[in-house]
Amino acid sequence: MEEREHILPMIRNAQWVEVVGRDAIYKEFLFKDFNQAFGFMSRVALQAEKMDHHPEWFNVYNKVQITLSTHECGGISQRDITLATFIDQASVY
Amino acid sequence: MEGGEGRRAGGEGSGRLSALQEQLVWSLLGSGLSKELLIQAMGDLERERGSAGGERTDRADGESSEEGEMDNPPPIFHDLERLPPEEAARQRAEVDQLLQQDPWHVAKIVKSYMQQHNLPQREVVESTGLNQSHLSQHLNKGTPMKNQKRAALYSWYIKKQTEISQQFTNASRGVMSGEESGEDVRKGRRNRFKWGPASQQILFQAYERQKNPSKEEREGLVEECNRAECLQRGVSPSQLAGLGSNLVTEVRVYNWFANRRKEEAFRHKLALDVPYSSQSASSTGQTLSSSPSPGLKYSQSVLCESLGTMRSSSGEDRGGGGRLASPVQLEPSHTLLDAHHLKPVSCGGSLPPVSTLTSLHGLSGSSAAPPGLIMASLPSVMSLGDSSLLIGLTSSQPQTVNMGGGFTTLQPISFQQQLQASPQQPIAQQLQSHIGPSSFMATMAQFPCHMYSKADLSSYPSSSLLSQAMVIADSNSIGTLTNLTAVRQILTSDPEGHTDTPIEEESLHLQSTSPEPVSSGSLELYPQTQTSETHPSHLLSSSPGDIDPYIPTQMVSTAQ
């Protein structure tokens, strides 16, 4: 629930951007095709369930746009950061 | 969407997996699933899904006869738990083995299994498509059944066995919930609960001890019954889940007791009406008096009805049936007879003791002085041939005359003789002379018996006589008595020759209002106000109506 200012820069470096008008981070992923994209999404989904923290995302064919935010605190929390890290790892799987 | 390229692109890769499948598998593997765990899980899932699909095909082939009529597709096929390859093959093998054996022998096996587990035929019919009547005849009487149909039956039997053993073993694992929901889907409802013989025995014994058990006692009975049912099925008493829809619950025990109590009350009520019906019953074929009072006829028909229902109800009532058949009928009369020997003598001397009443059956036409005794006893209605004094002794009636130990005395009214045609004149006169209205009434007052007499007796037998005919019954039985104690005298013979004081209407009306003066010739015996029931005449009139609503169709039953 607490924002860690020292972590955000790391995320920013990983191409996650802060959403305007809202306390959330966003990133867009492009894959070779739908299967890969959906495979990626499956991995993320499994992890999200494990963490009980789910992304807001949009998928069209090989593109996946993800926004992470924590509802309870209305902004970025550690869980978002953790999930973001995992997502990055999953995207290069 | 732009799937084409994707498909192509994804088409390469591992052999039979599509790209997406591969992706998904990888995702799963990456999510922390070990390969072994994944493979195991996949095997399980495959079995479940596969069996559903596989069995469908099985059924379509081998068992299409079973469900063919209902549906070739698998509406009834819910056995997801079965391993398609092994289980199905094993079961089919068992079915074949049964088919080889003697059909009647196997029928007995199946039938006994159904009895043991209290399974309704309806379930078999629904899942096999067999005709229920044919099935029943085959199982009970060995009516031949074609092989294909027998195969369906045996398949159901084998399947059911595995189902039940699963129920018993999986009970602790909570698999039951799956089973139950599957079952619901299957039939839309569970099987109706049915009491097993073992449980019923326990319940009847408890009923003897106490008709109205408390909740604790009921719960104890629940345990006992379930234990017995499990034992009957050869299973450990703690495997309750295997009982399925026949599991005994506290509510069911409560309902059972409530129904028995209602039944008993109903039987009491019917027993009251028995004399009427017995009268008509016994008088069938006898000249039932050329001119019985209309009321008499009516009550006769009423009794007939009640008798009929009594019979049927007592027939159905297993435990209670025995109780119903109490031999009260003649006994009270006997006591009465004994007690009141004197009266007849005093009256007219020529009146033989009531004990001869039993011989009244053969009285018709006898010129001997048959005891002109009106047995104010419940059971007896006898018809004396032409004289048509009907006093029926219905020993055959299963009546509970002794409602709760009721009769103390039944005194016959020895009117009789006079009623019989000529030979009885002197007696009649004597009898008549005795009647004093007040005394009569007084007697009547105590006489909760309905007596129908058609008048020969103008002034009806004196109180002395009447007193003989008094039926003294317990207050609790009064109510019943009002119905039961209808001793009807149907005097068909014309009074003219007999009586000086013609009794216009000797009918004894069942009315609780004060009787008309006896001298007017009408004998009215009123079941006194002791009667808990309402107006006795109302009893007559309403008894048929009463009986119907009273019939324990109002029995409590559990909602399934």
Side-chain angles (χ1 to χ4, degrees):
Chain A
M1 289 283 243
E2 41 190 352
E3 247 176 335
R4 300 189 184 175
E5 291 303 330
H6 57 286
I7 302 235
L8 273 179
M10 281 171 52
I11 295 297
R12 252 180 258 122
N13 284 346
Q15 312 305 311
W16 286 85
V17 293
E18 283 146 46
V19 179
V20 176
R22 165 182 189 191
D23 188 17
I25 50 177
Y26 166 92
K27 188 168 176 184
E28 199 169 296
F29 298 84
L30 266 170
F31 296 89
K32 187 173 129 199
D33 54 16
F34 173 73
N35 297 325
Q36 292 197 348
F38 199 76
F40 158 78
M41 285 171 76
S42 308
R43 294 189 284 279
V44 171
L46 288 163
Q47 177 64 18
E49 266 300 295
K50 216 189 276 185
M51 289 172 59
D52 191 24
H53 186 64
H54 304 85
E56 299 170 35
W57 46 2
F58 172 82
N59 158 251
V60 52
Y61 192 59
N62 65 339
K63 181 163 55 175
V64 184
Q65 299 166 346
I66 303 183
T67 304
L68 298 177
S69 174
T70 303
H71 184 265
E72 292 85 7
C73 60
I76 300 170
S77 71
Q78 183 57 45
R79 279 186 281 178
D80 296 313
I81 308 300
T82 313
L83 187 56
T85 319
F86 178 85
I87 285 174
D88 286 331
Q89 290 165 7
S91 67
V92 292
Y93 211 35
Chain B
M1 293 211 355
E2 324 88 357
E5 315 157 350
R7 263 182 241 127
R8 233 180 311 119
E12 319 138 354
S14 59
R16 295 160 289 164
L17 249 68
S18 78
L20 185 54
Q21 286 168 337
E22 206 184 307
Q23 286 284 336
L24 295 174
V25 169
W26 276 110
S27 305
L28 284 170
L29 287 173
S31 70
L33 262 186
S34 74
K35 183 180 167 191
E36 286 157 9
L37 190 57
L38 182 57
I39 290 174
Q40 189 185 349
M42 284 168 84
D44 293 337
L45 287 171
E46 203 174 36
R47 255 176 265 128
E48 284 183 21
R49 306 235 188 109
S51 64
E55 289 171 0
R56 280 177 212 140
T57 54
D58 282 349
R59 306 241 177 116
D61 306 337
E63 306 180 356
S64 57
S65 58
E66 186 161 335
E67 274 86 17
E69 294 152 2
M70 328 258 309
D71 250 317
N72 257 323
I76 302 194
F77 295 88
H78 10 69
D79 296 355
L80 307 174
E81 292 82 17
R82 255 167 46 180
L83 304 176
E86 312 164 8
E87 253 328 273
R90 179 187 78 83
Q91 293 186 3
R92 249 175 283 146
E94 283 195 35
V95 170
D96 289 332
Q97 202 231 350
L98 288 172
L99 280 166
Q100 313 286 337
Q101 296 180 40
D102 170 42
W104 173 232
H105 179 68
V106 183
K108 278 193 285 190
I109 293 173
V110 173
K111 180 184 176 188
S112 68
Y113 182 79
M114 285 171 70
Q115 281 178 339
Q116 190 194 30
H117 289 268
N118 229 344
L119 300 170
Q121 276 184 359
R122 184 190 53 77
E123 182 184 328
V124 185
V125 166
E126 278 178 6
S127 56
T128 62
L130 294 171
N131 175 271
Q132 198 259 323
S133 167
H134 183 32
L135 173 72
S136 170
Q137 295 232 302
H138 176 68
L139 290 180
N140 296 319
K141 314 206 164 141
T143 296
M145 188 184 271
K146 297 222 167 120
N147 286 343
Q148 202 183 37
K149 297 191 174 148
R150 280 197 304 135
L153 173 62
Y154 302 157
S155 304
W156 172 86
Y157 170 62
I158 301 280
K159 228 185 299 169
K160 191 70 189 175
Q161 274 185 320
T162 59
E163 216 178 276
I164 294 227
S165 66
Q166 268 179 5
Q167 280 185 354
F168 275 115
T169 54
N170 290 340
S172 51
R173 280 194 257 148
V175 177
M176 281 304 291
S177 52
E179 296 263 1
E180 290 168 5
S181 55
E183 218 179 309
D184 288 338
V185 168
R186 262 169 249 179
K187 8 183 115 123
R189 64 180 173 113
R190 287 253 184 106
N191 278 335
R192 185 184 160 90
F193 169 81
K194 177 151 173 49
W195 285 105
S199 298
Q200 283 186 314
Q201 206 179 9
I202 294 172
L203 291 174
F204 275 116
Q205 284 170 0
Y207 188 70
E208 302 273 330
R209 292 195 298 268
Q210 192 199 17
K211 297 197 193 316
N212 209 329
S214 67
K215 188 169 174 93
E216 291 79 27
E217 291 167 25
R218 290 200 297 269
E219 282 166 2
L221 289 171
V222 166
E223 294 294 315
E224 241 185 284
C225 288
N226 281 328
R227 213 178 320 134
E229 291 294 322
C230 281
L231 290 176
Q232 177 188 294
R233 290 156 172 71
V235 177
S236 142
S238 47
Q239 302 278 19
L240 296 180
L243 297 176
S245 53
N246 285 323
L247 178 73
V248 178
T249 71
E250 193 258 316
V251 174
R252 291 182 170 135
V253 172
Y254 173 81
N255 287 332
W256 187 94
F257 276 90
N259 289 340
R260 290 306 140 271
R261 291 195 294 271
K262 276 204 168 188
E263 251 176 34
E264 196 171 330
F266 181 53
R267 269 185 276 113
H268 272 233
K269 185 180 197 279
L270 284 184
L272 288 181
D273 298 334
V274 168
Y276 293 90
S277 53
S278 65
Q279 174 181 27
S280 42
S282 57
S283 60
T284 46
Q286 291 172 350
T287 44
L288 237 206
S289 75
S290 49
S291 53
S293 63
L296 182 56
K297 269 185 185 158
Y298 180 79
S299 48
Q300 284 173 359
S301 61
V302 164
L303 278 188
C304 269
E305 274 182 43
S306 58
L307 181 61
T309 45
M310 271 276 287
R311 284 187 176 136
S312 57
S313 65
S314 54
E316 293 158 1
D317 177 12
R318 281 188 267 165
R323 278 173 270 163
L324 266 187
S326 59
V328 174
Q329 309 76 21
L330 294 183
E331 290 162 1
S333 49
H334 290 306
T335 33
L336 287 180
L337 304 182
D338 299 336
H340 301 286
H341 263 267
L342 304 179
K343 309 271 178 131
V345 174
S346 62
C347 279
S350 56
L351 291 178
V354 178
S355 54
T356 57
L357 188 62
T358 50
S359 62
L360 274 177
H361 279 294
L363 265 187
S364 46
S366 95
S367 59
L373 299 175
I374 299 176
M375 278 293 303
S377 71
L378 305 176
S380 319
V381 174
M382 294 181 54
S383 65
L384 308 176
D386 297 337
S387 63
S388 68
L389 174 65
L390 291 185
I391 298 179
L393 290 174
T394 58
S395 46
S396 61
Q397 299 317 320
Q399 348 159 356
T400 321
V401 171
N402 278 329
M403 310 285 162
F407 291 108
T408 48
T409 24
L410 258 186
Q411 308 189 21
I413 296 182
S414 47
F415 304 115
Q416 253 351 289
Q417 309 297 111
Q418 67 220 7
L419 303 180
Q420 290 225 327
S422 30
Q424 310 308 328
Q425 281 187 19
I427 301 170
Q429 289 168 356
Q430 289 176 1
L431 289 174
Q432 294 164 14
S433 61
H434 287 281
I435 295 181
S438 54
S439 57
F440 178 88
M441 295 329 307
T443 340
M444 293 322 302
Q446 306 171 34
F447 187 28
C449 102
H450 311 277
M451 292 178 51
Y452 258 99
S453 67
K454 202 121 187 228
D456 248 324
L457 310 177
S458 51
S459 51
Y460 216 69
S462 65
S463 52
S464 58
L465 285 177
L466 281 180
S467 57
Q468 302 163 28
M470 278 172 34
V471 176
I472 302 173
D474 286 357
S475 50
N476 41 337
S477 52
I478 292 286
T480 53
L481 276 183
T482 54
N483 274 329
L484 284 173
T485 60
V487 174
R488 297 204 199 105
Q489 308 170 23
I490 303 176
L491 312 175
T492 49
S493 56
D494 289 339
E496 315 89 48
H498 300 281
T499 65
D500 299 332
T501 58
I503 300 175
E504 300 153 7
E505 202 185 328
E506 287 298 338
S507 50
L508 304 176
H509 303 291
L510 309 176
Q511 289 161 11
S512 54
T513 55
S514 64
E516 301 163 22
V518 175
S519 52
S520 70
S522 56
L523 257 190
E524 295 172 354
L525 299 181
Y526 302 96
Q528 280 303 309
T529 49
Q530 308 167 34
T531 63
S532 49
E533 314 250 17
T534 53
H535 214 265
S537 60
H538 127 82
L539 284 175
L540 269 191
S541 52
S542 60
S543 32
D546 280 346
I547 288 180
D548 292 333
Y550 204 99
I551 287 179
T553 51
Q554 307 157 1
M555 285 194 181
V556 180
S557 53
T558 355
Q560 290 289 328

